[in-house]
Amino acid sequence: MRLLNIVSSPRGADSVSISIVNAFLDAYHRTCASVEVDTLNVWEENLPDFDSEAIGAKYKGVSKVPLNSAELSVWNRIQSLARRFQETDRIVLGVPMWNFSYPYKLKQLIDLISQRNMLFTFNGQAYGPMLKIPRALVIYVRGQSRNAGAGIGSPGFEHQTDYIDFWLRFIGVDEVKSLTVEHTWDAESQETVEQGKAQACAMAVDF
């Protein structure tokens, strides 16, 4: 069993999303002792830019034109990142809310690896997933919540969850489970985080 743990917070030991994911992973190790965890930290991977070389490599690949050395280098890096998704059985992803969305480094990873014939197919008319991953868990962490007191209107917080859920299903995750932990900035934060850890541990039983 291989599990891909995607870390999208740069805060290390101070990160709520990382602490709750780690609680889940500890519990999952007790349930599935043979699990191998591959941690992909978007802040430590030195992700290449999806720049002119990367885009050039993409379009040359579609046209079956040879790549130059710079294009080949970045395309090989993209393929190696995508391979970690191709080889995993489960995905766990911690997502702190940044401006009602997700960290830009996570979007950079998604833009790099979401390539035709790597994570999805396209025949000119319809898209299809390439992965066969039974389930993923996304842990969303928010400093506030979408309630009357927060003063946040629609679409607000759904923008964070809807896109990540869509993307995971698009590439081939059958079941996307989620846990949302809110009020991590106020007086309730310590209690909220502990509750989140307990809920994450409970979800590890049948993951």
Side-chain angles (χ1 to χ4, degrees), residues 8-117:
S8 68
S9 171
R11 300 188 66 229
D14 294 324
S15 167
V16 174
S17 63
I18 291 175
S19 69
I20 295 175
V21 167
N22 285 345
F24 170 86
L25 292 175
D26 288 343
Y28 193 58
H29 268 292
R30 294 191 290 271
T31 299
C32 181
S34 63
V35 65
E36 297 179 16
V37 177
D38 174 17
T39 297
L40 196 168
N41 187 319
V42 297
W43 299 94
E44 298 175 357
E45 282 291 330
N46 193 24
L47 298 175
D49 292 329
F50 197 63
D51 55 12
S52 60
E53 282 79 18
I55 294 173
K58 174 178 180 175
Y59 283 106
K60 281 185 177 180
V62 172
S63 303
K64 301 188 185 306
V65 175
L67 279 58
N68 63 38
S69 59
E71 292 165 344
L72 184 60
S73 176
V74 71
W75 202 247
N76 285 340
R77 180 74 176 110
I78 288 170
Q79 288 179 315
S80 70
L81 288 167
R83 195 172 301 117
R84 293 165 76 172
F85 286 77
Q86 295 163 353
E87 295 176 349
T88 198
D89 302 297
R90 301 284 191 277
I91 294 175
V92 176
L93 174 57
V95 185
M97 175 174 276
W98 285 21
N99 292 310
F100 307 105
S101 187
Y102 26 80
Y104 68 90
K105 278 287 185 182
L106 175 59
K107 185 59 165 62
Q108 183 179 356
L109 173 68
I110 291 171
D111 287 342
L112 286 167
I113 63 175
S114 299
Q115 304 296 335
R116 182 180 180 182
N117 297 328

Side-chain angles (χ1 to χ4, degrees), residues 132-175:
K132 296 181 180 179
I133 298 176
R135 63 186 60 90
L137 170 64
V138 188
I139 296 174
Y140 298 102
V141 172
R142 303 167 179 171
Q144 259 299 345
S145 64
R146 187 188 175 192
N147 55 35
I152 304 300
S154 183
F157 292 4
E158 279 86 353
H159 180 70
Q160 180 196 34
T161 57
D162 288 358
Y163 177 76
I164 300 298
D165 182 87
F166 160 79
W167 173 68
L168 288 168
R169 295 179 189 278
F170 175 75
I171 63 176
V173 177
D174 291 336
E175 181 184 12

Side-chain angles (χ1 to χ4, degrees), residues 19-24 27 30 139 179 181 190-205:
S19 69
I20 295 175
V21 167
N22 285 345
F24 170 86
R30 294 191 290 271
I139 296 174
L179 170 63
V181 181
Q190 184 172 355
E191 180 181 357
T192 295
V193 172
E194 292 306 314
Q195 289 176 348
K197 289 179 180 179
Q199 288 175 290
C201 291
M203 296 177 78
V205 175

